[in-house]
C-alpha cells in the first residue's frame, strides 16, 4: 500500500479549521438548550427528553452522510460538499431557535417550534461535523493522526470557549440577560446570531484551503481498487466485518457520552441551586435573575472545561501509552463530576470543570485515533465513521430517555445526577483496558 505523505502543520490545521466554527454552534446548543427550554416552561423532570432529539438525529444523519460521501466525487471534493450544506442550514436555524418564545405563540407551540428548530440544528451540525473526522481519516497517515486529531481537539475546544462565553460577554456589554417569563434573553439570542456568522466564515476558509484526493489517488493510498470505494455494502455487513477495536472503543464511548449528557442537561439547575441558592421547585424559578445569572456562569464553566481540555490535549501526545492516557483522563473527569455535587462556590466550580476538561480532550482525540488506525485497508471509511457515531448517539439517547426517572430516584436534586455521571466515566476508564491498540509504524 502506498504510504500517505506527511503533511505540514498548516495543512493539518486547515483540514480542521472549519471545526472551530462548527463547535461554536455546538457549544451554544450544549450550554443553552436546557436554559432555553426551561425558560420556555419545561419541567426539570422533562428536560432530558428534549435532549433525545440531538443524538437521535446524529445517529440517523451521520451514517447517511458518511455512506453518501464515500460515493461522492465532485470537483469540490467528496466530504466538503456535505460540510458546506450542513453549515448553511445550521446558520439559518441558529437564527430561529432562540426566538422560539418571542413569536407570539402559546407555550406548547413555542416548545414544539423549539423542538423542530433543535432537530434541524442538530441535523445540520452533525452534517457539518462528520466530514472533518472523515477528512483526517482520508488524508492523514497513521503517524500523524494523533497530532491531527489533537489539532482538531484544540480547534474544537477553542470554538467551545468562544461559544460558551458569548452570553456572559454580551451581558457584560449591557445586553439584557433577563426577559419576561417564557422569553429567551437577548444575551442568548445575540450569541446565536454571532455564532452563526462565525460558523459560515470558518467553513468558507476550509472549503477554500483544502483539496481532497481524487479517486485514483485515494485508492492508491488506501490499498483499494478504484472501484472498491464505490462498491455497495449495507450497514449490517459493514458492522459484521468491523474490527474488534471498533466495538471495544464503542463500549468506552457508551459510558463517556452517557455521563456528558447529564452534564449538559443538569448543570444549569445544579449551578443555580448550589451557587445561587435558586429554589428549582419554585414557580417561575427560571425567570429569576439568579437562574439567568447562573445560566451565564454555566457558559463560563464550560469555557473553563474547554480551556482545561485544550491544555490537556497538548499533554496527551506526550504519553507513550495511549490507553493509560485515555483511562487516566476519564478518571480525572469522573472525579470532577462527583465534585460538582458538593461545590457551592461559583469560583471553586472551576476545579471540577478543569478535571472534566481532561476527559473531554481524550474523548475528542483518542477514540478516532484507535478506530481510524484499525480501519486502514477496510474501505468505506466515511460509512464506518458514520456508524461509529452511533457509539456517541446511543448512550445519549439512553441517558436522555431515563434521565427523568433517575432524577426522581435521586430525590429530584439535579446535582445528584453529576454523581451518576462521575461513576459512569470511571466505568469508561475501566473499559479502556480491553482495547487492543494497533501500533503505528515508525
Amino acid at each position: 500500500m502506498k504510504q500517505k505523505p506527511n503533511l505540514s502543520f498548516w495543512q493539518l490545521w486547515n483540514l480542521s479549521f472549519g471545526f472551530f466554527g462548527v463547535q461554536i454552534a455546538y457549544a451554544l446548543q450544549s450550554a443553552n438548550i436546557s436554559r432555553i427550554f426551561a425558560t420556555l416552561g419545561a419541567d426539570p423532570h422533562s428536560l432530558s427528553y428534549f435532549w433525545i432529539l440531538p443524538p437521535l438525529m446524529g445517529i440517523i444523519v451521520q451514517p447517511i452522510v458518511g455512506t453518501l460521501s464515500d460515493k461522492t466525487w465532485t470537483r469540490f471534493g467528496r466530504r466538503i460538499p456535505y460540510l458546506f450544506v450542513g453549515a448553511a442550514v445550521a446558520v439559518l436555524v441558529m437564527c430561529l431557535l432562540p426566538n422560539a418564545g418571542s413569536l407570539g405563540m402559546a407555550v406548547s407551540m413555542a416548545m414544539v417550534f423549539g423542538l423542530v428548530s433543535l432537530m434541524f440544528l442538530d441535523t445540520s451540525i452533525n452534517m457539518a461535523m462528520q466530514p472533518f473526522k472523515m477528512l483526517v481519516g482520508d488524508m492523514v497517515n497513521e503517524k500523524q493522526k494523533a497530532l491531527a486529531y489533537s489539532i482538531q481537539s484544540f480547534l474544537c475546544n477553542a470554538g467551545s470557549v468562544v461559544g460558551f462565553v458569548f452570553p456572559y460577554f454580551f451581558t457584560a456589554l449591557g445586553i439584557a440577560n433577563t426577559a419576561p417569563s417564557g422569553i429567551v434573553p437577548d444575551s442568548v439570542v445575540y450569541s446565536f446570531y454571532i455564532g452563526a456568522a462565525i460558523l459560515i466564515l470558518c467553513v468558507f476558509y476550509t472549503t477554500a484551503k483544502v483539496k481532497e484526493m481524487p479517486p485514483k489517488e485515494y485508492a492508491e493510498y488506501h490499498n483499494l481498487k478504484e472501484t472498491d470505494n464505490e462498491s455497495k455494502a449495507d450497514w449490517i455487513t459493514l458492522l459484521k466485518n468491523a474490527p474488534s477495536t471498533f466495538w471495544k472503543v464503542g463500549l468506552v464511548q457508551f459510558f463517556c457520552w452517557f455521563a456528558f449528557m447529564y452534564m449538559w442537561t443538569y448543570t444549569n439547575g445544579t449551578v443555580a441551586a448550589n451557587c445561587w441558592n435558586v429554589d428549582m421547585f419554585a414557580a417561575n424559578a427560571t425567570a429569576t435573575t439568579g437562574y439567568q445569572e447562573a445560566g451565564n456562569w454555566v457558559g463560563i464553566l464550560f469555557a473553563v472545561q474547554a480551556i482545561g481540555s485544550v491544555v490537556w490535549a497538548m499533554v496527551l501526545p506526550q504519553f507513550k501509552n495511549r490507553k493509560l492516557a485515555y483511562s487516566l483522563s476519564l478518571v480525572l473527569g469522573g472525579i470532577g463530576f462527583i465534585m460538582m455535587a458538593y461545590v457551592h462556590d461559583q469560583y471553586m466550580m472551576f476545579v471540577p470543570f478543569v478535571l472534566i476538561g481532561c476527559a473531554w480532550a481524550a474523548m475528542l482525540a483518542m477514540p478516532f485515533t484507535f478506530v481510524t488506525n484499525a480501519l486502514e485497508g477496510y474501505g468505506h471509511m466515511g460509512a464506518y465513521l458514520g456508524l461509529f457515531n452511533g457509539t456517541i448517539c446511543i448512550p445519549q439517547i439512553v441517558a436522555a430517555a431515563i434521565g427523568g426517572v433517575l432524577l426522581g430516584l435521586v430525590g429530584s436534586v439535579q446535582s445528584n445526577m453529576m454523581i451518576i455521571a462521575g461513576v459512569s466515566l470511571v466505568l469508561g476508564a475501566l473499559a479502556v483496558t480491553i482495547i487492543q491498540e494497533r501500533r503505528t509504524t515508525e
Side-chain angles (χ1 to χ4, degrees):
M1 179 173 66
K2 186 176 179 181
Q3 294 298 312
K4 284 177 274 190
N6 287 334
L7 301 179
S8 70
F9 174 84
W10 291 111
Q11 286 175 309
L12 295 173
W13 176 274
N14 291 339
L15 277 178
S16 296
F17 182 74
F19 211 100
F20 176 80
V22 174
Q23 196 61 29
I24 288 176
Y26 190 70
L28 285 167
Q29 172 186 290
S30 300
N32 293 288
I33 290 304
S34 284
R35 180 181 182 181
I36 288 172
F37 282 104
T39 299
L40 292 176
D43 180 86
H45 293 86
S46 302
L47 275 180
S48 67
Y49 304 139
F50 293 102
W51 282 93
I52 291 177
L53 268 180
L56 182 61
M57 296 314 300
I59 202 172
I60 294 171
V61 172
Q62 296 214 30
I64 293 173
V65 170
T67 301
L68 291 178
S69 65
D70 278 341
K71 303 173 184 178
T72 298
W73 298 97
T74 73
R75 66 189 184 94
F76 301 106
R78 61 195 310 228
R79 315 296 187 188
I80 286 177
Y82 295 90
L83 160 64
F84 192 83
V85 172
V89 175
V91 166
L92 174 63
V93 181
M94 286 175 73
C95 295
L96 295 175
L97 175 59
N99 291 298
S102 306
L103 302 176
M105 295 180 285
V107 172
S108 59
M109 284 304 299
M111 286 194 184
V112 171
F113 179 85
L115 277 172
V116 173
S117 298
L118 176 60
M119 179 183 70
F120 279 102
L121 177 59
D122 207 77
T123 300
S124 56
I125 289 176
N126 274 290
M127 191 173 179
M129 190 180 295
Q130 186 72 352
F132 289 107
K133 299 181 178 71
M134 298 176 194
L135 284 171
V136 173
D138 287 348
M139 301 178 66
V140 180
N141 62 39
E142 288 190 23
K143 288 191 295 183
Q144 289 191 302
K145 275 182 183 171
L147 174 60
Y149 281 122
S150 293
I151 291 172
Q152 195 168 98
S153 177
F154 172 82
L155 288 166
C156 171
N157 284 294
S160 294
V161 170
V162 174
F164 289 145
V165 302
F166 267 166
Y168 185 91
F169 174 74
F170 286 128
T171 301
L173 291 180
I175 295 173
N177 190 50
T178 57
S181 181
I183 304 295
V184 177
D186 284 346
S187 58
V188 177
V189 175
Y190 286 13
S191 297
F192 274 78
Y193 289 168
I194 301 300
I198 296 174
L199 167 59
I200 200 64
L201 290 174
C202 290
V203 169
F204 273 131
Y205 178 89
T206 291
T207 56
K209 290 290 185 179
V210 174
K211 180 176 174 59
E212 297 186 64
M213 297 178 184
K216 183 177 180 180
E217 185 179 356
Y218 180 90
E220 290 174 353
Y221 283 126
H222 291 81
N223 198 28
L224 303 170
K225 295 179 181 178
E226 193 167 343
T227 57
D228 281 352
N229 207 49
E230 298 180 8
S231 62
K232 294 183 179 179
D234 63 85
W235 294 342
I236 300 299
T237 301
L238 291 177
L239 290 173
K240 285 181 179 178
N241 295 330
S244 63
T245 300
F246 181 98
W247 298 106
K248 291 174 180 177
V249 176
L251 178 62
V252 179
Q253 291 272 85
F254 182 91
F255 292 113
C256 293
W257 291 94
F258 187 95
F260 272 79
M261 171 56 77
Y262 289 152
M263 182 190 78
W264 296 323
T265 307
Y266 299 111
T267 295
N268 277 275
T270 297
V271 173
N274 282 14
C275 302
W276 267 264
N277 297 314
V278 175
D279 181 359
M280 295 306 297
F281 298 98
N284 295 321
T286 59
T288 62
T289 300
Y291 182 84
Q292 296 300 338
E293 287 181 355
N296 281 356
W297 195 249
V298 167
I300 297 297
L301 293 175
F302 282 6
V304 168
Q305 171 208 317
I307 293 169
S309 185
V310 169
V311 174
W312 192 248
M314 293 187 285
V315 174
L316 287 176
Q318 308 308 314
F319 281 86
K320 292 183 178 180
N321 187 326
R322 290 177 185 165
K323 288 172 59 176
L324 174 61
Y326 197 3
S327 184
L328 174 62
S329 300
L330 299 184
V331 169
L332 292 174
I335 293 171
F337 274 124
I338 293 170
M339 285 180 64
M340 279 179 64
Y342 300 100
V343 173
H344 293 269
D345 180 86
Q346 67 184 95
Y347 296 101
M348 284 301 296
M349 274 285 184
F350 289 164
V351 177
F353 275 89
V354 168
L355 296 176
I356 292 169
C358 296
W360 186 244
M363 287 166 58
L364 291 177
M366 292 294 183
F368 290 98
T369 300
F370 288 128
V371 171
T372 55
N373 283 345
L375 287 172
E376 284 294 342
Y378 274 72
H380 304 282
M381 179 69 78
Y384 268 118
L385 290 183
L387 291 168
F388 185 68
N389 190 64
T391 67
I392 296 173
C393 299
I394 291 173
Q396 293 182 65
I397 293 170
V398 172
I402 65 175
V405 175
L406 287 179
L407 180 61
L409 291 175
V410 296
S412 297
V413 177
Q414 295 186 48
S415 61
N416 288 340
M417 298 298 285
M418 300 300 107
I419 298 175
I420 293 175
V423 171
S424 184
L425 268 191
V426 172
L427 292 175
L430 294 175
V432 170
T433 60
I434 69 172
I435 298 173
Q436 293 177 322
E437 181 177 6
R438 172 175 172 173
R439 297 291 178 182
T440 59
T441 56
E442 299 295 335

